Amino acid sequence: MILLEVRDYLQATRSAPVRDLALHFKISQDDAKSMLEHWVKKGYAKKLPAGSLCQGGCRSCDPETIDIYEWTGPS
């Protein structure tokens, strides 16, 4: 089930932009965001504040336009 794969991906990376998840799983960003929101509602993930940087902090994208989620549940 892709929902569990999204969980595993976020656990492994600790945080990820919606765009990266969508590309990794070959799904739309809306679908990726919906799955991430499932884990937020369960209390296992959170959306980082606007302007947060990706793990690499490369700044090639405008941080204000990126939704980044962080795994907060058990590993």
Side-chain angles (χ1 to χ4, degrees):
M1 172 185 246
I2 194 162
L3 191 56
L4 297 178
E5 292 173 28
V6 167
R7 177 203 62 194
D8 294 345
Y9 182 91
L10 197 56
Q11 281 178 325
T13 61
R14 300 302 301 162
S15 68
V18 172
R19 181 192 62 216
D20 289 0
L21 268 124
L23 289 171
H24 180 80
F25 292 106
K26 298 177 178 76
I27 58 176
S28 73
Q29 288 190 34
D30 287 339
D31 289 344
K33 192 169 186 172
S34 293
M35 288 183 230
L36 289 164
E37 285 297 325
H38 167 83
W39 294 113
V40 169
K41 289 176 188 170
K42 293 278 190 179
Y44 292 122
K46 68 178 181 178
K47 182 178 175 186
L48 297 181
S52 297
L53 296 177
C54 297
Q55 289 178 351
C58 68
R59 291 200 172 271
S60 64
C61 302
D62 178 4
E64 297 296 323
T65 65
I66 302 171
D67 290 331
I68 301 173
Y69 286 76
E70 178 179 64
W71 185 254
T72 57
S75 299

